[in-house]
Amino acid sequence: MTKHRPDYRFTRPGALIAALPAVLGFVPEKSLVLVSLERGELGAVMRVDLSLALAGEVGHLVEVAGASGADAVVAVIVDAQGAPCPMCNDDYRDLCDALTTALAEHHMGLYAAHVVDRIEAGGSWHCVDGCGESGTVEDPTASPLAAAAVLDGRRLYGTRDDLKAVVAVADPGHADSLVALIGEAASAREMDWREDPDGCGRRDVEAAIAAAARVCEGADLGDAEVAALACALGDVAVRDTLYALAVGSGAGQAETLWALLARTLPDPWRAEALALLAFSAYARGDGPLAGVSLDAALRSHPDHRMAGMLDTALQSGMRPEQIRELAGTGYRLAKRLGVRLPPRRAFGRRAV
């Protein structure tokens, strides 16, 4: 689910469909997309695999739409096979009937439903209910929301798989080879921590900030440094302090480091990097990246507390400005540890 500021009104289906990649962060295929309308403006946008939607798994989407404050939704069915054949829409009509019933239970209505073959300039759409309306998709790259996403620093991906690749382990063999090094680093850190817990935490936070700056300058991290960072992220005080970087002037550098660690570390250590990446993305309004990061984190560590909390918040439509309030804990911990964090920023975004 992606929450977007309702800055734009859409009166043309071809324009609304063209805007979906900019909101979702990728071009949906074989999908049901629900666009919630809040007083006639674009609200939460949710997507599910079309196969799941046709199997009746739409209840959660409707619940999220209701929680977001929507009063109506537009359904967009993306299917290269179904779109060219308006007479073959029985399955889609049944789906929309089920949606209408579920929406009514949450005091919402189905404003419109369209089938589109592909979301690119010149793609064809038509209404599901046989109203006779049809047309072509406008250029997604020329959408006002696409321009806004680029200005905000968000990267748009060709497919959801391209987005998921941002957090996928790049070299599983290399990741496995780090397990022994992480164990050695943990033993060494344990001795350091016993002598001076706050000093150990302070050095770990400072090391992470320095590593983030070097990575953004094009430097590579050695395996020993990666292993040490993995151990540092396992310390609750260090990890919770580092969440504050998401709202500071060095947020982009930190996010790049978390993405690198997510692609490099083995399970379950990568879950901490994924949760940090998800928080950073969520804080700057990048719901798609936050979502795939949380999916990966919970697969790596199903009981991860922060990942579970963020996933619940994202699925319920909690706004980024509310999430950013959690960074206050990090600043308080930094003060206790004696760490000087980058200053807070008003707001900004960065793509990984």
Side-chain angles (χ1 to χ4, degrees), residues 306-320:
M306 186 63 162
M309 183 188 71
L310 289 174
D311 186 58
T312 298
L314 186 66
Q315 295 298 328
S316 64
M318 187 174 290
R319 295 178 182 274

Side-chain angles (χ1 to χ4, degrees), residues 219-233:
D220 293 324
L221 300 183
D223 286 353
E225 186 172 8
V226 169
L229 287 168
C231 294
L233 297 186

Side-chain angles (χ1 to χ4, degrees), residues 209-279:
I209 294 173
R214 288 190 288 107
V215 166
C216 280
E217 292 172 354
D220 293 324
L221 300 183
D223 286 353
E225 186 172 8
V226 169
L229 287 168
C231 294
L233 297 186
D235 185 309
V236 174
V238 172
R239 180 184 66 229
D240 288 355
T241 300
L242 292 172
Y243 278 111
L245 297 180
V247 300
S249 60
Q253 294 179 343
E255 188 171 318
T256 299
L257 176 62
W258 309 146
L260 173 64
L261 293 177
R263 293 191 294 266
T264 305
L265 290 172
D267 292 328
W269 293 276
R270 68 187 297 256
E272 302 299 348
L274 285 162
L276 283 159
L277 175 59
F279 182 79

Side-chain angles (χ1 to χ4, degrees), residues 11-220:
T11 57
R12 303 184 310 278
L16 173 61
I17 295 169
L20 295 180
V23 181
L24 292 171
F26 59 91
V27 180
E29 300 174 338
K30 279 289 193 180
S31 301
L32 168 67
V33 182
L34 292 188
V35 181
S36 66
L37 301 177
E38 301 173 22
R39 295 176 296 279
E41 296 183 329
L42 181 66
V45 178
M46 299 143 286
R47 188 210 70 91
V48 69
D49 289 346
L50 184 56
S51 59
L52 296 177
L54 291 172
E57 297 188 26
V58 297
H60 178 63
L61 292 187
V62 172
E63 290 176 3
V64 174
S68 74
D71 46 59
V73 303
V74 174
V76 178
I77 298 168
V78 187
D79 186 359
Q81 294 181 338
C85 182
M87 299 304 294
C88 302
N89 283 348
D90 288 346
D91 287 341
Y92 302 140
R93 292 190 185 97
D94 291 343
L95 171 58
C96 291
D97 287 343
L99 270 175
T100 299
T101 300
L103 288 166
E105 294 175 357
H106 291 267
H107 309 289
M108 294 179 290
L110 183 60
Y111 183 81
H114 308 294
V115 181
V116 61
D117 59 351
R118 64 192 190 282
I119 301 183
E120 61 182 55
S124 299
W125 66 266
H126 66 266
C127 63
V128 174
D129 61 8
C131 68
E133 290 189 4
S134 62
T136 57
V137 179
E138 297 183 16
D139 185 356
T141 64
S143 164
L145 287 181
V150 172
L151 290 173
D152 283 340
R154 282 186 56 189
R155 178 178 172 185
L156 304 182
Y157 297 85
T159 66
R160 181 170 170 80
D161 286 342
D162 292 337
L163 175 58
K164 291 167 67 174
V166 173
V167 300
V169 176
D171 185 343
H174 179 244
D176 290 342
S177 73
L178 293 174
V179 172
L181 273 178
I182 294 172
E184 294 171 6
S187 297
R189 188 183 184 281
E190 177 69 17
M191 296 177 60
D192 190 18
W193 185 87
R194 288 182 180 278
E195 293 181 3
D196 182 8
D198 285 352
C200 179
R202 180 174 61 254
R203 288 187 289 275
D204 284 340
V205 172
E206 292 172 344
I209 294 173
R214 288 190 288 107
V215 166
C216 280
E217 292 172 354
D220 293 324

